[in-house]
Amino acid sequence: MAERDLSLTGVQENSKEHPDIHPLHFSLADIRKHFDESIALTKQQFEIADTLIAEEQIEKAKTIWRSQVVFFEGVLDFYLHEICKYALYKIYVGDWNQTEKYKAITIPIRVVQDAINSRDGAEWFFDFVNLKYSNSVFLSPEDIKDVLNMSGVEYVKVMHKVFPTVTENEAKKQGDKILREQYSRRNQIAHQMDRSHASAEQADITKEYVEQYAENIIKIADAVQCLILEKDKEPSC
């Protein structure tokens, strides 16, 4: 999980622990709305690619498809960040049961001291979680599993909702495989323009591939959403 370099930004010492503005609390419906809006905006790029295909500008269309892969992964990453904050706050205020990974969260003593003196109730914890995970990347199977399990939304149950016709163990394997392949392709596009290090040739890409890529991400968000509704004792999917 890469950390952002703040050495040249002029941030005052310890300012990380004292945000001037509290991050906003979003409802589960708001979080899903952000996800759906971002998915829709990214899907609109298919129209541009279709126009380029009609004009026989195939390589330009493929460039758009590649960019969509990176954007769709970004949509999933941001969604999981919002879910993480939502869930950890629910745990902190006692609405959900604590998870083992939640109990193992490390909090700097300066933050603890501020929390003791805080008049903002539980807001200090939401501020802390927002900052702590803001630079984390939740896209590899391992990182997605960790953040979901920490948040009380079991990874294996998510994958079983995505692949309901197989056992939980097989669903986990299929989920691992898809996430690993998609994350690898995203990195190949983002970091080397989809080119092979051995030959420098670009991997091929199709509209159908990108459509399935998006569908996989939507299914994961659907499954997470359903499980959280169950935990919140709301009408489920």
Side-chain angles (χ1 to χ4, degrees):
M1 299 182 183
E3 296 291 331
R4 184 171 52 190
D5 180 11
L6 298 175
S7 58
L8 299 180
T9 61
V11 177
Q12 294 180 353
E13 185 180 1
N14 298 339
S15 63
K16 284 185 176 183
E17 283 81 15
H18 302 276
D20 293 328
I21 302 175
H22 292 302
L24 298 176
H25 288 264
F26 291 108
S27 69
L28 190 60
D30 289 331
I31 292 171
R32 184 54 192 248
K33 182 173 180 284
H34 300 159
F35 175 85
D36 289 340
E37 287 174 345
S38 296
I39 287 289
L41 284 171
T42 306
K43 280 188 172 183
Q44 286 176 9
Q45 304 308 306
F46 282 124
E47 298 174 11
I48 300 173
D50 288 344
T51 300
L52 291 170
I53 291 293
E55 296 172 353
E56 298 185 354
Q57 299 187 63
I58 310 301
E59 292 306 314
K60 290 183 179 180
K62 289 182 179 181
T63 297
I64 289 176
W65 293 333
R66 291 187 179 99
S67 72
Q68 285 178 292
V69 165
V70 177
F71 291 152
F72 282 130
E73 285 282 284
V75 174
L76 177 62
D77 189 22
F78 187 74
Y79 173 75
L80 292 174
H81 275 83
E82 291 209 281
I83 289 297
C84 173
K85 290 188 292 184
Y86 176 90
L88 293 183
Y89 187 77
K90 284 275 190 176
I91 294 173
Y92 180 76
V93 298
D95 290 343
W96 292 5
N97 293 332
Q98 295 184 10
T99 65
E100 292 305 312
K101 289 184 177 293
Y102 168 86
K103 294 175 185 177
I105 293 174
T106 301
I107 303 178
I109 190 63
R110 288 175 300 190
V111 177
V112 174
Q113 289 175 329
D114 286 348
I116 293 171
N117 298 321
S118 174
R119 296 182 179 180
D120 291 331
E123 286 307 300
W124 75 268
F125 182 76
F126 196 71
D127 292 347
F128 166 73
V129 169
N130 181 69
L131 184 63
K132 179 176 177 65
Y133 296 106
S134 61
N135 291 324
S136 300
V137 178
F138 300 142
L139 290 177
S140 72
E142 295 75 20
D143 288 335
I144 291 176
K145 179 179 70 175
D146 285 347
V147 72
L148 288 176
N149 288 343
M150 176 178 64
S151 302
V153 187
E154 294 181 51
Y155 175 81
V156 66
K157 290 184 178 180
V158 169
M159 290 308 163
H160 199 213
K161 279 193 174 290
V162 175
F163 305 104
T165 62
V166 299
T167 65
E168 282 192 350
N169 187 53
E170 182 58 32
K172 179 184 178 301
K173 289 180 181 178
Q174 290 187 31
D176 287 351
K177 181 175 183 293
I178 287 173
L179 288 172
R180 187 166 290 110
E181 289 175 352
Q182 293 197 168
Y183 186 42
S184 176
R185 187 64 184 272
R186 175 263 183 200
N187 288 341
Q188 182 172 309
I189 292 169
H191 300 299
Q192 57 204 67
M193 195 53 184
D194 219 10
R195 293 186 181 275
S196 163
H197 280 297
S199 66
E201 292 183 0
Q202 277 190 311
D204 197 20
I205 193 166
T206 65
K207 179 180 180 180
E208 292 72 25
Y209 172 84
V210 181
E211 288 176 327
Q212 184 59 57
Y213 201 108
E215 187 61 26
N216 292 338
I217 286 172
I218 293 168
K219 286 180 179 178
I220 291 169
D222 287 343
V224 171
Q225 205 83 4
C226 285
L227 289 171
I228 292 182
L229 285 171
E230 291 176 8
K231 291 180 71 69
D232 282 342
K233 296 180 173 56
E234 297 288 343
S236 188
C237 306

